[in-house]
């Protein structure tokens, strides 16, 4: 798996590290080759729900691995945002809560505050009073806006949303702030 290869790159054994770097390079080459083909289909048939959805999932998968150099990463983040926007415009019902949450986590991870803020607003509109929306709001607030973070915690406490174990722990941990 790619996560194993990323760990192996940090290995003290130079042979292991070299092998892992080579394998990652192969993965990137395969991604770029496939991405180019899929992009051609996307540009030609961009109103086809299956093509748009598959492309979105394909690009997300590789962005989540965190294997791109910064310049390429930003290029693929822009591409992914374009695909998300097209999906939202043409097939909004195909964007599940998890799709928004995953996208927002990437944006926060890569410190794309304004983009995250905009997409968080979209998620709030599409999935109000949902656990995944609260999780995304907390992630954003914790990283960028502590006042907003506290407000979301208060909203969660007074809401009727069923919390999972992780969210219960978060609410308990931060209940006195």
């Amino acid at each position: 798996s790619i996560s194993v290869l990323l760990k192996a790159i940090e290995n003290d054994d130079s042979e292991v590290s070299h092998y892992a770097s080579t394998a990652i390079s192969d993965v990137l080459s395969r991604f770029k080759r496939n991405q180019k083909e899929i992009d051609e289909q996307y540009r030609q048939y961009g109103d086809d729900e299956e093509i748009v959805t598959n492309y979105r999932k394909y690009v997300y998968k590789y962005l989540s691995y965190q294997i791109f150099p910064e310049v390429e990463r930003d290029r693929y983040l822009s591409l992914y945002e374009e695909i998300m926007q097209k999906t939202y415009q043409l097939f909004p019902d195909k964007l599940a809560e998890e799709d928004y949450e995953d996208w927002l986590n990437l944006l926060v991870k890569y410190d794309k505050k304004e983009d995250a803020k905009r997409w968080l607003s979209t998620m709030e509109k599409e999935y109000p009073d949902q656990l995944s929306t609260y999780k995304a709001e907390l992630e954003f607030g914790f990283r960028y806006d502590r006042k907003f973070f506290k407000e979301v915690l208060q909203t969660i406490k007074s809401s009727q949303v069923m919390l999972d174990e992780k969210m219960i722990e978060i609410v308990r941990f931060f209940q006195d702030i």
Side-chain angles (χ1 to χ4, degrees), residues 141-142 144-154 177:
F142 188 78
Y144 298 115
D145 184 345
R146 294 300 167 105
K147 182 180 178 201
F148 177 68
F149 179 83
K150 292 175 185 178
E151 290 169 1
V152 173
L153 277 175
Q154 292 306 315
I177 63 168

Side-chain angles (χ1 to χ4, degrees), residues 5-175:
L5 291 172
L6 290 171
K7 288 180 184 176
I9 287 174
E10 304 299 322
N11 196 298
D12 292 336
D13 184 335
S14 62
E15 191 173 329
V16 170
S17 180
H18 175 74
Y19 171 76
S21 294
T22 301
I24 291 288
S25 292
D26 290 346
V27 167
L28 285 171
S29 293
R30 243 186 350 266
F31 165 78
K32 290 174 185 175
R33 192 171 45 253
N34 292 337
Q35 184 269 328
K36 185 176 180 184
E37 290 174 17
I38 297 168
D39 190 73
E40 289 172 8
Q41 291 177 356
Y42 171 75
R43 301 291 170 204
Q44 188 171 359
Y45 306 106
D47 57 348
D48 182 288
E49 179 185 323
E50 185 177 349
I51 289 172
V52 174
T53 299
N54 290 340
Y55 195 24
R56 180 174 52 81
K57 290 178 180 181
Y58 183 76
V59 173
Y60 173 80
K61 176 181 169 183
Y62 285 88
L63 276 171
S64 69
Y65 292 144
Q66 301 180 26
I67 56 175
F68 296 108
E70 186 176 351
V71 171
E72 281 186 280
R73 179 200 69 209
D74 287 348
R75 189 178 72 190
Y76 289 119
L77 281 170
S78 293
L79 172 63
Y80 190 78
E81 180 159 18
E82 172 191 323
I83 299 167
M84 282 288 291
Q85 192 64 45
K86 180 170 262 192
T87 305
Y88 182 71
Q89 290 170 348
L90 299 179
F91 323 106
D93 58 319
K94 295 302 176 188
L95 286 174
E97 295 170 59
E98 296 80 22
D99 297 321
Y100 286 101
E101 189 175 9
D102 290 344
W103 176 223
L104 286 162
N105 286 337
L106 273 181
L107 290 170
V108 169
K109 183 184 302 179
Y110 293 131
D111 201 25
K112 304 294 184 185
K113 179 182 178 182
E114 294 307 313
D115 293 332
K117 190 176 188 176
R118 188 167 21 83
W119 280 98
L120 182 59
S121 175
T122 302
M123 184 180 189
E124 291 166 340
K125 183 175 80 173
E126 296 298 321
Y127 294 100
D129 203 34
Q130 298 295 315
L131 182 60
S132 58
T133 303
Y134 289 137
K135 286 179 179 179
E137 289 172 334
L138 286 175
E139 182 77 27
F140 180 87
F142 188 78
R143 177 77 181 266
Y144 298 115
D145 184 345
R146 294 300 167 105
K147 182 180 178 201
F148 177 68
F149 179 83
K150 292 175 185 178
E151 290 169 1
V152 173
L153 277 175
Q154 292 306 315
T155 301
I156 291 169
K157 288 178 189 178
S158 63
S159 79
Q160 298 298 313
V161 170
M162 185 71 112
L163 305 180
D164 61 17
E165 286 184 41
K166 183 178 179 182
M167 188 61 87
I168 290 170
E169 285 181 37
I170 290 170
V171 170
R172 284 183 182 153
F173 184 80
F174 289 104
Q175 70 184 351

